[in-house]
Amino acid sequence: MKTGIIFDLDGTLLDTLQDLYENVNVALEAFGYPLRTKEEVKNFVGNGIELLMRRALPKEIEEPRFQEVFRYFQKVYTKNLNRNTLPYPGIMEMLEELKKRNVLLGVVSNKFQVGVEKLVEEFFPEYIRVAVGNAPGLKKKPAPDSVFAVLERLGLNWEEDLIYYAGDSEVDILTARAAGLPVISVTWGFKTRDFLESFHPDFLVDSPGEITQIIEKVIK
């Protein structure tokens, strides 16, 4: 039996908030729309950058105008998506420990595929073997399609292997449920502990080291 963990990216492995916040406001300012606070942007994330921008822009915006602003945001964010982004404290140590224990690691994100690949290649090339973002032909989370795609590419069997899903939002909990996987919710990301508790995750952890401890207990 093999062991694997599928991770969300933004808010779970990487603190991407500052870059999202800055680039959302670059786009809003360029088109003359009111700027958003960092807390507002934090509450907007979780369902991909298109919905992020729909939430950041005025509700009455017409679709052609939205697409114009969104294309501009995509351009500036793709160029600047790793200017301030870094792994959360303890993430690299956790990944190293999991690697030592031969745990297979993948990423599933609602971020656009190019951005996912760029960030994973920069920060986690030694650890993350497969990373799937918002790509053609796959439904976004909370649909389980991308999770199943990662499991297949990692060579993990849903019925025979021990697989966990780890993320920081309700979207991740719903994704894990849809995929039939136990979910580890992390409290250092974009949602509060109380909010996550209301969705009843299988595990709720306050530090990356606790994920290592969960795995240690089941693979000894």
Side-chain angles (χ1 to χ4, degrees), residues 95-130:
L95 294 176
E96 180 64 27
E97 290 300 317
L98 293 174
K99 181 181 178 181
K100 289 178 181 177
R101 290 161 175 76
N102 298 313
V103 180
L104 299 176
L105 306 175
V107 159
V108 167
S109 173
N110 275 342
K111 186 187 289 292
F112 57 107
Q113 183 67 32
V114 172
V116 171
E117 292 173 352
K118 184 175 180 179
L119 291 172
V120 168
E121 178 61 29
E122 176 170 352
F123 293 108
F124 312 119
E126 298 180 11
Y127 305 107
I128 305 297
R129 291 177 51 182
V130 179

Side-chain angles (χ1 to χ4, degrees), residues 23-79:
N23 286 283
V24 163
N25 279 331
V26 166
L28 293 176
E29 185 174 34
F31 288 85
Y33 292 109
L35 302 186
R36 294 293 192 167
T37 67
K38 186 183 290 189
E39 189 64 24
E40 285 177 318
V41 173
K42 182 178 180 180
N43 290 328
F44 293 159
V45 299
N47 298 92
I49 60 172
E50 180 176 345
L51 191 50
L52 165 62
M53 284 307 299
R54 288 192 184 278
R55 290 166 173 165
L57 284 160
K59 292 182 178 180
E60 64 271 14
I61 188 172
E62 295 183 355
E63 188 62 21
R65 183 64 165 178
F66 168 77
Q67 292 298 334
E68 185 180 4
V69 180
F70 180 55
R71 285 193 296 271
Y72 183 82
F73 170 74
Q74 283 183 298
K75 180 179 178 180
V76 296
Y77 182 54
T78 301
K79 182 179 180 180

Side-chain angles (χ1 to χ4, degrees), residues 119-216:
L119 291 172
V120 168
E121 178 61 29
E122 176 170 352
F123 293 108
F124 312 119
E126 298 180 11
Y127 305 107
I128 305 297
R129 291 177 51 182
V130 179
V132 171
N134 184 10
L138 290 176
K139 294 180 181 179
K140 293 193 300 183
K141 299 186 297 183
D145 302 43
S146 51
V147 174
F148 293 144
V150 169
L151 294 182
E152 182 178 0
R153 290 167 61 183
L154 284 174
L156 288 167
N157 187 299
W158 179 83
E159 294 180 337
E160 298 177 0
D161 296 321
L162 184 62
I163 308 163
Y164 296 85
Y165 183 99
D168 73 301
S169 74
E170 77 281 9
V171 175
D172 296 306
I173 295 172
L174 295 174
T175 301
R177 298 290 185 233
L181 301 178
V183 59
I184 304 170
S185 289
V186 309
T187 61
W188 57 79
F190 298 155
K191 303 295 183 179
T192 67
R193 167 179 273 273
D194 288 345
F195 179 81
L196 293 170
E197 282 182 335
S198 70
F199 286 86
H200 308 291
D202 299 288
F203 302 91
L204 189 61
V205 301
D206 297 315
S207 71
E210 292 180 60
I211 296 179
T212 307
Q213 292 171 8
I214 291 170
I215 298 301
E216 287 175 338

